[in-house]
């Protein structure tokens, strides 16, 4: 039940010289088309090696902080730009709105506040846009105001589209506080016909694209991810006067996935429930 815009043809991986030689083309993968098992194994091995190396480098930085005494007054944040798929759903890379691409590592240590770890607050979500206001608040005592919607943002000298996580770190299980962190959002573009990979810059240049807007949230022990693929971009090619914005009256496709987090083997995006009468 996956709509075609949700699919990523793994353009980075299939552009490798060995894959071009094997496939005779650098065209994106099509649904159901996979890599050789040996290639998949080698790609995963290389990825895990890279992660292990980064982990070692992080350890060196933290050791240096400890040895200099700076760890007691340093906020430490570890994050990445996106998650990635290593063959799950037949996809290699991060050019999707699937959970494994949208979810990212995000680890925060605040001396005196998280030394003993944090109690996981079920059903709460953070975003990478939260890093700036959080660090500004905890490290500099600056309360960064929220950005206004739309064009007025350009006139603001200092604002954020994220949320400071200080209340989430310091509060108890207060329902009012937790409601502010009840969802997280991500987006990814496609070419207008939904059948090819497309870089964000081309959408911003005014070409007609689809934009996949995705939200993850939580309800009664089940996590849900909902995505709408919406017409996006200038109304006329390269005519920037119309701007680059979504047209919510032109929804090309939608997706809804439910993750049972309490299952012995949590399911991740195995069935698109968007057309299931139970969820309409």
């Amino acid at each position: 039940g996956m709509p075609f815009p949700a699919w990523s043809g793994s353009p980075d991986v299939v552009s490798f010289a060995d894959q071009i030689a094997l496939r005779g083309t650098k065209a994106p993968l099509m649904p159901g088309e996979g890599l050789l098992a040996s290639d998949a194994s080698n790609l995963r091995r290389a990825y895990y090696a890279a992660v292990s190396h980064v982990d070692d480098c992080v350890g060196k930085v933290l050791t240096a902080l400890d040895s200099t005494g700076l760890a007691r007054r340093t906020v430490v944040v570890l994050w990445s730009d996106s998650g990635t798929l290593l063959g799950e759903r037949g996809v290699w890379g991060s050019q999707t709105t699937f959970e494994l691409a949208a979810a990212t590592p995000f680890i925060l240590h605040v001396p005196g506040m998280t030394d003993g770890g944090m109690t996981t607050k079920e059903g709460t979500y953070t975003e990478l846009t939260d890093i700036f206001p959080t660090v500004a608040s905890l490290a500099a005592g600056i309360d960064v105001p929220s950005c206004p919607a739309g064009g007025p943002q350009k006139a603001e000298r200092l604002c954020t589209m994220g949320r400071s996580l200080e209340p989430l770190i310091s509060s108890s299980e207060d329902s009012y506080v937790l409601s502010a962190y009840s969802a997280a959002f991500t987006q990814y573009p496609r070419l207008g016909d939904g059948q090819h990979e497309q870089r964000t810059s081309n959408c911003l240049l005014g070409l007609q694209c689809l934009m996949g807007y995705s939200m993850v949230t939580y309800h009664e022990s089940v996590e849900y991810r909902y995505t709408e693929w919406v017409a996006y971009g200038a109304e006329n090619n390269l005519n920037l006067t119309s701007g680059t914005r979504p047209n919510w009256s032109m929804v090309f496709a939608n997706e809804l996935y439910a993750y049972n987090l309490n299952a012995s083997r949590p399911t991740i995006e195995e069935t698109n429930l968007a057309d299931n009468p139970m969820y309409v």
Side-chain angles (χ1 to χ4, degrees), residues 1-277:
M2 176 192 70
F4 199 93
W7 171 255
S8 169
S10 312
D12 294 334
V13 170
V14 297
S15 66
F16 294 162
D18 61 334
Q19 293 303 313
I20 295 174
L22 282 169
R23 300 174 67 239
T25 176
K26 61 177 180 180
L29 295 174
M30 296 299 291
E33 180 186 2
L35 302 180
L36 291 177
S38 57
D39 287 352
S41 178
N42 286 333
L43 284 167
R44 292 188 181 112
R45 183 181 296 114
Y47 185 85
Y48 295 146
V51 172
S52 179
H53 174 64
V54 170
D55 186 57
D56 180 64
C57 291
V58 171
K60 292 177 180 177
V61 173
L62 296 181
T63 299
L65 280 174
D66 283 334
S67 64
T68 59
L70 293 174
R72 292 189 296 274
R73 55 188 180 91
T74 301
V75 175
V76 177
V77 188
L78 174 67
W79 78 96
S80 76
D81 63 337
S82 68
T84 193
L85 289 88
L86 300 175
E88 298 90 351
R89 306 293 155 269
V91 176
W92 296 86
S94 59
Q95 299 93 333
T96 75
T97 57
F98 290 144
E99 176 70 14
L100 289 175
T104 70
F106 180 10
I107 303 173
L108 176 69
H109 177 254
V110 186
M113 295 183 71
T114 63
D115 295 336
M118 287 179 57
T119 301
T120 301
K121 295 177 172 60
E122 194 172 59
T124 58
Y125 296 90
T126 59
E127 299 177 323
L128 298 186
T129 52
D130 299 335
I131 294 175
F132 167 48
T134 301
V135 173
S137 173
L138 295 172
I142 298 173
D143 184 13
V144 182
S146 297
C147 293
Q153 288 181 23
K154 297 178 182 179
E156 295 292 324
R157 294 186 60 191
L158 178 66
C159 69
T160 178
M161 297 183 75
R163 310 149 297 179
S164 173
L165 302 180
E166 184 174 6
L168 193 61
I169 296 170
S170 59
S171 74
S172 60
E173 299 278 344
D174 183 89
S175 59
Y176 175 78
V177 171
L178 300 188
S179 66
Y181 307 91
S182 60
F185 300 86
T186 188
Q187 64 188 83
Y188 197 83
R190 290 278 187 259
L191 193 64
D193 59 7
Q195 297 183 18
H196 301 85
E197 296 294 333
Q198 183 71 0
R199 299 294 183 182
T200 306
S201 59
N202 288 334
C203 290
L204 298 179
L205 284 174
L207 298 180
Q208 185 66 53
C209 299
L210 296 177
M211 187 69 76
Y213 290 93
S214 190
M215 178 185 76
V216 63
T217 191
Y218 181 91
H219 180 65
E220 295 182 351
S221 299
V222 178
E223 187 173 77
Y224 296 92
R225 177 169 291 280
Y226 179 69
T227 302
E228 286 191 353
W229 292 94
V230 183
Y232 180 91
E235 294 175 2
N236 303 304
N237 285 348
L238 301 181
N239 178 4
L240 298 184
T241 57
S242 58
T244 50
R245 64 192 67 181
N247 183 345
W248 294 101
S249 66
M250 297 178 63
V251 178
F252 188 87
N254 54 8
E255 305 169 77
L256 176 65
Y257 302 105
Y259 314 139
N260 186 347
L261 304 182
N262 296 325
S264 58
R265 186 184 70 85
T267 56
I268 299 291
E269 293 142 344
E270 292 186 351
T271 304
N272 182 10
L273 302 171
D275 295 327
N276 188 320

